[in-house]
Amino acid sequence: MQENYFQSETLLAGKGLPAGTAWTPAALAKKGASLLDEQVSLPAAVLSESALRHNLAWMRRFTDAYGCQLAPHGKTTMSPALFQMQLDAGAWGITLATAPQTVAAYEHGVRRVLLANQLVGKGNFALIADLQARDADFWFACVVDSADNVAALGQYFQARGQQIKVLLEIGAAGGRTGVRDDAQARAVLEEIARWPDAVALVGVEVYEGVAKDEAGVRAVLQRSLAAWQTIHAAGGFAQLPAILTGAGSAWFDVVAEEFSALVGNAEAQVVLRPGCYLTHDVGIYRQAARRIHASNPVAREMGSSLRPALRLWAYVQSLPESGKAIIALGKRDAAFDAGFPVPALHHRPGNAAPMDAPAHWQISAMMDQHAFLDVRDGDDLRVGDLLCFDISHPCLTFDKWRHLLVVDDAHRVIGAVSTQF
């Protein structure tokens, strides 16, 4: 891998940096600021370089074992440097959720985008059409589950003299988007057929994470595989190989297992789309990783698992009463929708190295800039101590930061990545 992912010339300003008016990632790397020596303003969001590289290599081995392609969901990080790391590590493309995200990714070098949403509305149509007009080599496809949406796409892109690629989205009753039954699927496919020059069917897509359990996940994946096979048998795809894609971050192993029926078929391309694997977490995705490691033979054979790479550092702000510490970290800094941040390390300035945080330290509430940490009488904790937190749900932590520091295993800054939310 190249060594310049974290040392671009982007100018950084805002929270979570060393003292100074502005920094570039390269200047940060040269300074080598130490979190432990209080050379960074806290709170700060940090990424472990070693964990990032481990997770990249782990997922590459996993997808290679199943003969799948990887198009990680970029909405997790919206970080051009991390996109490039993933592409250089073998990712086929980047998955995104909106037209503006697609524009941001394109402006930072991404040339293959799978939009895991319907593209709705002329303003969004125009953003994609302008990219396609600007660059004939830009590859873009979105999903469709509505005949009305297909008709709107057909009218607009035909008027622009362009063709837009689409994938039929399969959904589950009570879930999110996607066709629920064969009749809905037929209506969408029939509308696509009415626009042969403007709308090209290139595959089938599903988001299995809306299912409530593994049986439900497998059922919707099997429906998606059957839909792909039916369309393929009827010659319904505009180009081959045709894509079959699924996989959020919790069930990518099951998707690989179910879709492996197409591996080796030269007219099929299986694409997995997990986004959170790169940074992982200690909440919902660690639970998923434990299930994967226990039940998936490829993961078991690989031995190691994904590692948490995203952490937050903050100060103990106040010790106002017995059993309570106030931490200078809040909802403006960390996700809280899937569980509060979890104390991982405790460091007192002047000590040689941080210690593991006691297991009984737990955040019980969060406000905009404060977290309430439950402690015990007699715990060795002082105002000005540093705490390092693991998180659950990386997506909603990333979008609270314009940049994140990248650190080595000694907690020294070796660069930074920016975000484009």
Side-chain angles (χ1 to χ4, degrees):
M1 292 184 183
Q2 301 175 16
E3 296 300 325
N4 62 354
Y5 297 112
F6 315 127
Q7 298 181 24
S8 70
E9 293 306 311
T10 303
L11 193 64
L12 306 177
K15 63 181 181 178
L17 290 170
T21 56
W23 291 92
T24 64
L28 283 174
K30 184 176 180 179
K31 179 178 176 61
S34 168
L35 288 163
L36 303 184
D37 292 340
E38 298 188 274
Q39 294 172 341
V40 173
S41 172
L42 304 184
V46 304
L47 295 167
S48 162
E49 181 194 30
S50 61
L52 289 175
R53 295 190 184 280
H54 168 85
N55 293 346
L56 283 169
W58 192 98
M59 187 57 74
R60 177 66 182 266
R61 289 172 60 200
F62 183 88
T63 53
D64 283 352
Y66 276 100
C68 298
Q69 299 283 357
L70 180 66
H73 212 317
K75 70 176 175 60
T76 300
T77 69
M78 281 307 296
S79 172
L82 298 181
F83 291 173
Q84 194 60 53
M85 282 191 80
Q86 292 169 304
L87 292 169
D88 287 350
W92 170 83
I94 300 293
T95 298
L96 294 165
T98 70
Q101 287 178 4
T102 301
V103 174
Y106 180 87
E107 296 295 346
H108 290 87
V110 176
R111 293 297 181 264
R112 184 181 285 126
V113 170
L114 198 163
L115 193 77
N117 265 330
Q118 290 204 116
L119 187 67
V120 178
K122 290 183 179 179
N124 290 319
F125 295 169
L127 291 177
I128 301 306
D130 288 349
L131 289 180
Q132 292 190 158
R134 176 177 167 184
D135 185 350
D137 293 327
F138 175 57
W139 190 98
F140 173 89
C142 61
V143 305
V144 290
D145 71 4
S146 161
D148 288 341
N149 180 235
V150 173
L153 290 169
Q155 292 168 7
Y156 183 88
F157 282 88
Q158 183 162 286
R160 289 286 300 259
Q162 293 185 16
Q163 185 178 70
I164 186 166
K165 301 176 185 68
V166 301
L167 298 91
L168 176 68
E169 182 169 36
I170 306 299
R176 197 169 65 187
T177 51
V179 296
R180 300 310 203 239
D181 54 40
D182 291 344
Q184 290 178 339
R186 281 196 300 272
V188 174
L189 294 174
E190 288 170 359
E191 189 63 35
I192 292 172
R194 294 189 182 101
W195 302 94
D197 296 327
V199 182
L201 181 65
V202 297
V204 171
E205 183 271 353
V206 63
Y207 172 57
E208 74 293 336
V210 296
K212 296 180 180 179
D213 53 28
E214 183 172 338
V217 167
R218 290 190 184 275
V220 73
L221 293 173
Q222 290 162 10
R223 276 186 55 219
S224 303
L225 173 60
W228 187 97
Q229 291 169 328
T230 298
I231 296 169
H232 177 256
F237 291 120
Q239 61 186 51
L240 297 172
I243 296 167
L244 178 61
T245 177
S249 297
W251 296 100
F252 62 83
D253 62 313
V254 176
V255 178
E257 291 169 10
E258 293 291 343
F259 288 178
S260 64
L262 293 184
V263 173
N265 184 337
E267 297 188 342
Q269 185 169 31
V270 175
V271 179
L272 307 185
R273 307 193 312 273
C276 295
Y277 79 90
L278 182 61
T279 58
H280 199 45
D281 74 2
V282 301
I284 51 178
Y285 296 120
R286 180 167 66 180
Q287 295 171 18
R290 287 171 175 168
R291 178 194 57 77
I292 291 168
H293 200 73
S295 62
N296 182 269
V298 170
R300 283 201 306 272
E301 185 176 343
M302 287 167 59
S304 64
S305 188
L306 297 169
R307 299 176 186 168
L310 171 60
R311 284 178 157 179
L312 301 173
W313 285 80
Y315 282 113
V316 177
Q317 182 91 1
S318 177
L319 295 168
E321 63 184 59
S322 176
K324 189 72 65 180
I326 305 302
I327 311 303
L329 177 79
K331 294 180 180 179
R332 298 292 181 91
D333 308 304
F336 53 91
D337 62 311
F340 292 133
V342 178
L345 300 174
H346 172 215
H347 181 68
R348 180 157 296 154
N351 289 352
M355 301 181 297
D356 291 340
H360 64 268
W361 287 3
Q362 293 185 347
I363 290 180
S364 56
M366 289 175 67
M367 301 178 72
D368 281 356
Q369 311 285 178
H370 300 87
F372 295 73
L373 183 70
D374 293 340
V375 298
R376 294 176 184 169
D377 291 344
D379 284 347
D380 183 18
L381 192 64
R382 299 177 188 171
V383 172
D385 284 357
L386 284 68
L387 294 183
C388 176
F389 293 87
D390 287 315
I391 55 92
S392 181
H393 199 183
C395 302
L396 293 189
T397 296
F398 267 96
D399 71 6
K400 298 174 186 297
W401 295 87
R402 292 174 59 192
H403 54 260
L404 298 92
L405 302 179
V406 181
V407 299
D408 61 19
D409 291 340
H411 309 288
R412 300 194 70 88
V413 178
I414 62 170
V417 300
S418 62
T419 62
Q420 298 291 322
F421 288 101

